Amino acid sequence: AFNYIAEEHDVSQAFISIVQMYQRVKNDNILTVDHVKSVLLKLFPDANIWDILGIHSKYDNGRKEGASFYRMTGLGPLPQALYNGEPFKLEQLNAEELETNVLHRMMDTTINLQREVLTGVLNDRTNVIDFLMEKNNAVP
């Protein structure tokens, strides 16, 4: 569902939709196909659900890769979102506050990068990608 929504809209809308799916779970404690279908049908009333969710769906590889990554990280209960390898708190994942929370994290990161430039650790001769990937919180 995430991969389909990301392709049809964008990643931000896909993430917000996943959060909405988990908000429908309530006391059931398990996300079901019915929860996913209800959100998908709300967004895409003409979509063929089984083309999106079926085992031969072109969107299934991303789900398998995501599940593998999730198991590998041991992040805890879903939904989860990472920024530079650091998880957001559950209360930061609501649709109204998500953009603001991402912007706050971006500003914090910018301040740290500016400090690195000011102290000379990061300069014109530094390969920035290598520099960032060497950080403890970098997710390869």
Side-chain angles (χ1 to χ4, degrees), residues 113-137:
L113 289 173
Q114 289 172 337
R115 185 177 300 116
E116 301 280 1
V117 170
L118 183 65
T119 60
V121 175
L122 182 59
N123 56 52
D124 291 343
R125 295 175 304 283
T126 307
N127 181 322
V128 177
I129 298 297
D130 290 343
F131 176 81
L132 293 173
M133 293 309 292
E134 290 171 0
K135 297 289 186 188
N136 291 336
N137 62 353

Side-chain angles (χ1 to χ4, degrees), residues 19 23 29 36 43-44 59 63 71 77 80 97-98 101 110-112 119 121 123-125 128 132 137:
V19 170
Q23 288 171 340
N29 291 329
V36 175
L43 288 171
F44 306 99
Y59 308 102
R63 180 195 60 83
R71 281 191 302 276
Q80 287 283 337
E97 308 251 345
L98 182 60
N101 289 318
T110 301
I111 291 168
N112 292 331
T119 60
V121 175
N123 56 52
D124 291 343
R125 295 175 304 283
V128 177
L132 293 173
N137 62 353

Side-chain angles (χ1 to χ4, degrees), residues 3 15 17 25 33 39 44 46 52 61 63 65 76-77 80 91 93 96 102 110 120 128-129 134 137:
N3 295 326
F15 185 76
S17 298
V25 170
V33 173
V39 172
F44 306 99
D46 298 327
I52 301 167
N61 284 339
R63 180 195 60 83
E65 291 167 0
Q80 287 283 337
E91 59 270 10
L93 298 180
E96 294 81 30
V102 170
T110 301
V128 177
I129 298 297
E134 290 171 0
N137 62 353

Side-chain angles (χ1 to χ4, degrees), residues 69-87:
F69 175 78
Y70 172 72
R71 281 191 302 276
M72 182 180 69
T73 61
L75 282 169
L78 294 172
Q80 287 283 337
L82 302 176
Y83 184 87
N84 286 344
E86 297 176 14

